[in-house]
Amino acid sequence: TTATTTEQQQNHQTLLSIGILGAAQIARKNVAAICHNQKQSLCQLTAIASRSNEKAQQFVQEHCSKAKEVRIFSGTNAYDELLSSSLVDAVYIPLPTSLHKEWVRKALNHGKHVLVEKPVTLTMEDFQEFQELANQKQKYVLDGTMFVHNPRTRQLLEYLRNNATNDDCFGTVLRMDSTFSFLGDEEFFANNIRIKSGGDPFGCVGDLGWYSIRMALLVMKTQQHTAKKVKVAHYQLNQQGVPIDLTGLVYFYSVDCDHNATPPKLLSFHCSFLHPLRQRMEVVGSKQSMILNDLVIPQQGRPSLHYELRSQSLTACDEFAVDQTQNISCETVAAVSQETLMWRHMSQMCRAMEEESSSSDESSMMIQRVSNEMSHMSYETQKVVLAVIESIRKDGAEIDLS
């Protein structure tokens, strides 16, 4: 265990100080992101908790070299000791979903902001409890959906919103098709927590389908449509009853219309641990299609800061199809990772929340509005994911979200 330095105590007054519950490998990218933001005087890694001191020491040595000093809490009470520590303003929780209920609640009760891996929890009741407790404690809970912090997401949503009634360009969104999959190996299917009923019982739906659902919700919000129904078309479970392959449908309707009298806009999505890596989304408009071939994870050597607009037409006698593709480059943030942007926004939102009662600064108020919108979209994503799980349990029955 390292000692706290005078310099660390001084920095703690201005930077958001972050502790991590667990030494999971999933935390590696986030540690790098936190350390990158330390250079921007936004946040710093100050503590990590693990029941295994050896595992925590190894994690710090391998992944925390850019952090100034990291306090290690180890032993059976490690998580509680970290949450009780004044070294920490916020916690990152990369624990299995089945443990979120206990540790998100404890973190909020200790007055800590929380960034938790998705899915946020296993029930809507728990999710609502988190939101109510966060409001009561004036703290923030953010899920770890990193691509929403990518400037490409904001830019493509603005494009869809601005062209929803422009039939000369993209036009109205008609449907969406998305897939996120990877091929698990023997080790994955033997030991990975993401296929354990006692760890992450939502399997590929919570791990992969979450992203397709979140993007679809964001897209359809630009069209003033909301998700109203869910249905599973195909699913495969492992021996523990955890989804490892699934095709689902989400039905969107206008917020102003009776969904029994109007046709829906559809999301068809596939998520799987049984197929090669694919992470694609196509948004079909009345005039063009928008295509993302790197929906979640940037391609090496080509950061996730572009998207394609595509249209096709037929030549005389339908002899050939003519493809017209426009590659749209988005604004960049100096090749900063999505995780770095996520922690940057997390730090700004927490700071804005802390200052809200004493400041009416326009920038702080804008950040607070964004944080409220992110909380709402997290809630909506969780609701759809749970409806998908309910449809599985009812063997593909249609689930009403209203």
Side-chain angles (χ1 to χ4, degrees):
T1 302
T2 61
T4 305
T5 65
T6 301
E7 181 181 11
Q8 187 181 29
Q9 291 171 331
Q10 292 171 343
N11 285 341
H12 179 73
Q13 303 303 315
T14 56
L15 277 67
L16 185 74
S17 296
I18 298 163
I20 300 176
L21 297 188
Q25 290 301 302
I26 191 176
R28 290 176 298 174
K29 289 193 295 182
N30 285 282
V31 167
I34 293 166
C35 291
H36 189 283
N37 280 306
Q38 183 171 312
K39 301 175 185 176
Q40 309 298 321
S41 299
L42 289 170
C43 60
Q44 61 182 344
L45 180 64
T46 55
I48 184 170
S50 174
R51 293 185 170 90
S52 167
N53 185 63
E54 180 181 356
K55 187 176 180 181
Q57 292 280 4
Q58 181 180 356
F59 185 92
V60 169
Q61 290 172 7
E62 292 179 356
H63 307 300
C64 304
S65 60
K66 294 183 180 180
K68 291 190 176 179
E69 288 204 44
V70 180
R71 172 78 180 270
I72 293 175
F73 295 90
S74 60
T76 56
N77 296 320
Y79 294 175
D80 288 298
E81 290 173 2
L82 183 147
L83 293 179
S84 299
S85 172
S86 61
L87 289 175
V88 173
D89 304 314
V91 291
Y92 170 49
I93 302 180
L95 301 173
T97 310
S98 59
L99 298 178
H100 289 180
K101 178 178 181 178
E102 176 182 2
W103 294 107
V104 172
R105 179 192 289 160
K106 283 188 174 182
L108 290 171
N109 277 319
H110 278 88
K112 312 301 183 185
H113 300 283
V114 176
L115 193 152
V116 60
E117 280 300 332
K118 45 76 195 160
V120 176
T121 187
L122 298 178
T123 70
M124 288 309 299
E125 290 77 15
D126 291 341
F127 193 104
Q128 290 167 335
E129 180 189 343
F130 294 165
Q131 288 191 321
E132 291 169 2
L133 188 55
N135 290 335
Q136 176 188 335
K137 298 291 185 178
Q138 293 189 303
K139 298 301 170 184
Y140 191 65
V141 178
L142 179 72
D143 72 59
T145 310
M146 60 282 194
F147 73 65
V148 300
H149 305 275
N150 187 322
R152 176 182 70 171
T153 302
R154 182 180 67 253
Q155 186 166 329
L156 69 85
L157 293 175
E158 288 176 356
Y159 178 85
L160 292 173
R161 185 180 298 108
N162 294 337
N163 289 281
T165 58
N166 187 348
D167 287 334
D168 292 328
C169 293
F170 189 85
T172 303
V173 173
L174 301 177
R175 65 170 293 128
M176 297 157 290
D177 297 283
S178 183
T179 184
F180 190 17
S181 66
F182 67 83
L183 186 60
D185 58 17
E186 185 176 342
E187 169 67 18
F188 176 86
F189 285 108
N191 299 310
N192 198 281
I193 197 68
R194 286 174 284 183
I195 61 163
K196 304 295 185 183
S197 59
D200 287 314
F202 297 167
C204 64
V205 180
D207 188 47
L208 306 176
W210 175 282
Y211 293 104
S212 297
I213 291 166
R214 171 64 68 85
M215 182 59 87
L217 288 165
L218 290 168
V219 166
M220 294 314 298
K221 188 174 185 294
T222 70
Q223 312 291 298
Q224 298 185 9
H225 279 57
T226 59
K228 296 291 187 181
K229 294 188 293 184
V230 167
K231 178 179 174 63
V232 169
H234 166 80
Y235 63 92
Q236 182 175 342
L237 310 179
N238 67 4
Q239 291 181 340
Q240 296 187 29
V242 176
I244 57 175
D245 184 271
L246 180 137
T247 299
L249 299 171
V250 183
Y251 300 77
F252 291 84
Y253 293 87
S254 170
V255 295
D256 299 323
C257 296
D258 177 5
H259 68 260
N260 292 316
T262 57
K265 308 294 179 71
L266 280 177
L267 163 68
S268 173
F269 72 97
H270 176 236
C271 52
S272 179
F273 297 142
L274 303 177
H275 292 248
L277 178 62
R278 298 171 299 152
Q279 46 161 345
R280 186 178 188 274
M281 187 165 199
E282 180 178 13
V283 182
V284 182
S286 53
K287 289 293 183 180
Q288 293 176 308
S289 291
M290 177 183 286
I291 297 171
L292 290 78
N293 287 312
D294 53 355
L295 174 63
V296 182
I297 303 170
Q299 296 176 8
Q300 188 174 29
R302 190 180 184 188
S304 182
L305 297 171
H306 69 280
Y307 59 91
E308 294 179 1
L309 293 173
R310 181 177 298 173
S311 60
Q312 288 189 322
S313 58
L314 295 172
T315 61
C317 303
D318 299 345
E319 186 176 8
F320 297 105
V322 180
D323 189 37
Q324 294 179 311
T325 301
Q326 182 182 7
N327 199 341
I328 307 296
S329 296
C330 301
E331 66 177 86
T332 60
V333 188
V336 171
S337 72
Q338 298 180 125
E339 289 78 13
T340 297
L341 293 172
M342 178 173 69
W343 280 104
R344 180 177 300 178
H345 294 157
M346 175 71 173
S347 301
Q348 292 169 339
M349 288 185 286
C350 293
R351 182 176 298 173
M353 180 170 282
E354 299 288 352
E355 296 173 352
E356 183 181 14
S357 59
S358 59
S359 171
S360 59
D361 177 75
E362 185 175 341
S363 176
S364 294
M365 292 174 67
M366 182 188 70
I367 292 170
Q368 190 59 43
R369 286 195 297 271
V370 172
S371 71
N372 291 338
E373 175 62 20
M374 286 187 177
S375 293
H376 175 71
M377 295 310 298
S378 182
Y379 177 90
E380 293 298 315
T381 309
Q382 181 82 33
K383 185 166 68 172
V384 174
V385 165
L386 285 166
V388 171
I389 298 302
E390 185 180 355
S391 182
I392 293 174
R393 290 170 180 160
K394 295 181 178 180
D395 199 26
E398 187 174 275
I399 305 301
D400 195 331
L401 292 169
S402 57

